[in-house]
Amino acid sequence: MHPASSRPTTPRQRARATTIDDAKAIALRQLAEGGVEAISLKAISLELGLTGPAIYRYFASRNDLLTELIVDAYDDLATAIGAAASATATRSGAAQLDALADAYRGWALGQPHRYRLLYAAPVPGYEPNAQRLVDAANRTMATLIDVYAQTGISSNNPLTKRLAKQLRQWGNNHQRGSASPDILYLAVITWTRLHGFVSLEIENAFTSMGVDPDTIFRREVDALTTS
Amino acid sequence: MHPASSRPTTPRQRARATTIDDAKAIALRQLAEGGVEAISLKAISLELGLTGPAIYRYFASRNDLLTELIVDAYDDLATAIGAAASATATRSGAAQLDALADAYRGWALGQPHRYRLLYAAPVPGYEPNAQRLVDAANRTMATLIDVYAQTGISSNNPLTKRLAKQLRQWGNNHQRGSASPDILYLAVITWTRLHGFVSLEIENAFTSMGVDPDTIFRREVDALTTS
DNA sequence: TGTACATCAGTGAACGCGCGTTCACTGATGTAC
DNA sequence: TGTACATCAGTGAACGCGCGTTCACTGATGTAC
């Protein structure tokens, strides 16, 4: 929750970390209330009781702040699903997957603005820091793979050699070389299905249909282990 | 493609329809190049060779233009998947579903900016015209249901009475009362899975993983008919 | 422990920008008799 | 077929807005000897 204040030493550094956290909190509120375009460095600075330019002591540019927020969100989501898996580590694979899926969905429903931020279209002129974003996304994915590997769930759907090779390569890139292609494949389709469901749910697609999302979600999660 | 010019009678009406179409084309280019926030009424008007305020003869507000674009996109997508189904109407249900899925994915990959527009977060202060958007989304969904009903595919996964009732109600709301709950359920999860896959693919999630999207997509579509 | 210097937070003025939208208006096109 | 009127497209001036960002600067806090 407060990565910027994780290693405060001097008073000045502590004050600085606090200001950064406060600024991010305001930015998240702006995001929740008005979408990405409502995030304004100047407005944040004024709300902090400072003048406009002061904020540039803390963020080099608006894009920098956005990058921070996205990275934080990825890390936060990864923590949430990791925690859910830890809490159910002694239970069956299916139960662990249930917990993982619920954690993912719960995180998104609880803070839809942050979830949208993760998968928002790339802002034009936003290449700088792209590596940080990719890294953060990969950390989240790695957590998902870890949880999956831990469940002991396996797929009965044989992969082509080509796909298996690609998946193994991908696992290596994530320092997850030990994970089998089957697990990696399941992680991928779990991700696409969770994202599809959840991203529609946060736009209220199901409530406007008059259909209970919980029931369908449960069935979709079950389908992952029985296909 | 040109809904505004579908019923031109007088020269003046034709000129008007042409201007509207031109304006929308420019808006779509702005969308493709810079995202939603890059769509500007004033800039469109100037590019049309008019002065700024002239555009208000054609669109009452920026939100109105956005609504037009979204409705057009829904209709266009519905047409695309409907056409794919018609073209394969004499083939097997699985083949029709393949065609449907490919059409959906192809439409999105071909114009990612318009696909994003469909599922973009609601712009704050955007309630007016909400009904038009809901109607357009429903038309698209109705097309998907029709195609599914036509394939003759059925689910072997029994639904709870409660879910079946909700689905039937939902079908009635779309003038699709004849469709069975099984079909309606399949339509829903087809939608969530297609959306999950495609929305990640247009953000290049798979290419950055080094995994071939075509193979996984095919497998996911197959999974729909064998679960 | 005290002094000299370096670092850092914050100020205030200013830049250029493009946006959505309103208003009173002119002149051209279409319509009714 | 011609005239009187209504409709409509487009103009030009103007509004208020908030934004990101740069720059030269002051004063406070921290650091080295």
Side-chain angles (χ1 to χ4, degrees):
Chain A
M1 202 62 184
H2 297 276
S5 60
S6 56
R7 247 180 263 118
T9 53
T10 72
R12 201 182 233 174
Q13 282 172 321
R14 249 184 297 125
R16 182 178 176 79
T18 304
T19 304
I20 289 178
D21 286 346
D22 290 351
K24 284 183 182 179
I26 294 170
L28 287 177
R29 212 205 54 230
Q30 293 175 334
L31 176 66
E33 289 173 357
V36 205
E37 72 250 46
I39 298 178
S40 153
L41 282 189
K42 213 171 196 172
I44 291 170
S45 207
L46 296 179
E47 190 167 330
L48 286 172
L50 305 173
T51 59
I55 197 72
Y56 286 86
R57 292 283 158 198
Y58 301 95
F59 304 99
S61 70
R62 186 171 180 274
N63 274 348
D64 260 47
L65 169 58
L66 289 183
T67 303
E68 291 293 318
L69 295 180
I70 298 174
V71 170
D72 285 355
Y74 270 120
D75 287 343
D76 209 25
L77 174 56
T79 301
I81 63 179
S86 302
T88 56
T90 60
R91 304 183 57 200
S92 73
Q96 287 180 61
L97 180 60
D98 265 7
L100 164 77
D102 284 344
Y104 187 100
R105 180 174 173 236
W107 191 91
L109 294 182
Q111 39 208 338
H113 53 293
R114 291 181 83 196
Y115 189 82
R116 280 189 207 105
L117 199 59
L118 295 183
Y119 297 104
V123 181
Y126 197 48
E127 276 83 67
N129 296 317
Q131 193 54 47
R132 286 195 61 197
L133 296 182
V134 171
D135 288 346
N138 283 348
R139 275 197 299 278
T140 306
M141 201 63 183
T143 304
L144 200 157
I145 296 171
D146 287 343
V147 172
Y148 240 113
Q150 173 188 304
T151 62
I153 291 172
S154 67
S155 166
N156 55 12
N157 216 339
L159 303 171
T160 62
K161 276 186 186 168
R162 188 153 155 280
L163 185 52
K165 188 180 168 189
Q166 290 176 347
L167 288 166
R168 233 186 295 265
Q169 179 64 46
W170 173 60
N172 281 329
N173 292 345
H174 287 67
Q175 285 79 43
R176 293 299 181 284
S178 60
S180 74
D182 286 306
I183 288 293
L184 294 169
Y185 180 77
L186 273 174
V188 171
I189 68 167
T190 298
W191 179 45
T192 66
R193 292 195 195 173
L194 285 179
H195 172 64
F197 193 96
V198 160
S199 64
L200 291 174
E201 187 176 10
I202 62 177
E203 307 307 339
N204 295 313
F206 299 114
T207 53
S208 75
M209 283 169 48
V211 166
D212 177 28
D214 293 347
T215 310
I216 302 185
F217 185 72
R218 190 88 287 123
R219 289 177 65 100
E220 275 292 84
V221 176
D222 287 348
L224 281 167
T225 54
T226 59
S227 73
Chain B
M1 201 64 183
H2 296 277
S5 59
S6 57
R7 248 180 262 118
T9 54
T10 71
R12 202 183 233 172
Q13 282 172 321
R14 249 183 297 125
R16 182 178 177 78
T18 304
T19 304
I20 289 178
D21 287 345
D22 290 351
K24 283 184 181 177
I26 295 170
L28 287 177
R29 212 205 54 230
Q30 292 176 334
L31 175 66
E33 289 173 358
V36 205
E37 70 249 47
I39 298 179
S40 153
L41 283 189
K42 214 171 195 172
I44 291 170
S45 206
L46 296 179
E47 189 167 331
L48 285 171
L50 305 172
T51 59
I55 196 71
Y56 286 86
R57 293 282 158 199
Y58 300 96
F59 304 98
S61 70
R62 186 172 181 275
N63 274 348
D64 261 47
L65 169 59
L66 289 183
T67 302
E68 291 292 319
L69 295 181
I70 298 174
V71 169
D72 285 356
Y74 270 120
D75 288 343
D76 208 26
L77 174 57
T79 301
I81 63 179
S86 302
T88 55
T90 60
R91 303 183 57 200
S92 74
Q96 287 181 59
L97 179 60
D98 266 7
L100 165 77
D102 284 344
Y104 186 100
R105 179 172 173 237
W107 192 91
L109 293 182
Q111 39 207 337
H113 54 291
R114 291 180 82 196
Y115 189 83
R116 280 189 207 105
L117 199 59
L118 295 183
Y119 297 104
V123 182
Y126 197 49
E127 276 82 65
N129 297 317
Q131 193 54 48
R132 286 195 62 198
L133 295 181
V134 171
D135 289 346
N138 284 348
R139 276 198 300 280
T140 306
M141 201 63 184
T143 304
L144 200 157
I145 296 171
D146 287 343
V147 172
Y148 239 113
Q150 173 188 301
T151 62
I153 291 172
S154 67
S155 165
N156 54 13
N157 216 338
L159 303 171
T160 63
K161 276 186 186 169
R162 187 153 156 281
L163 184 52
K165 188 179 168 190
Q166 290 175 345
L167 289 166
R168 235 186 294 266
Q169 180 64 45
W170 174 60
N172 281 330
N173 292 346
H174 288 67
Q175 286 79 45
R176 294 298 182 282
S178 60
S180 75
D182 285 307
I183 288 295
L184 293 168
Y185 180 76
L186 274 173
V188 172
I189 66 167
T190 298
W191 179 46
T192 65
R193 292 194 196 174
L194 285 180
H195 171 65
F197 193 95
V198 161
S199 64
L200 290 173
E201 188 175 11
I202 63 177
E203 307 307 339
N204 295 314
F206 299 113
T207 53
S208 76
M209 282 169 49
V211 165
D212 177 28
D214 293 347
T215 310
I216 302 185
F217 185 72
R218 190 88 288 124
R219 289 177 66 101
E220 275 293 83
V221 175
D222 288 348
L224 281 167
T225 54
T226 59
S227 74

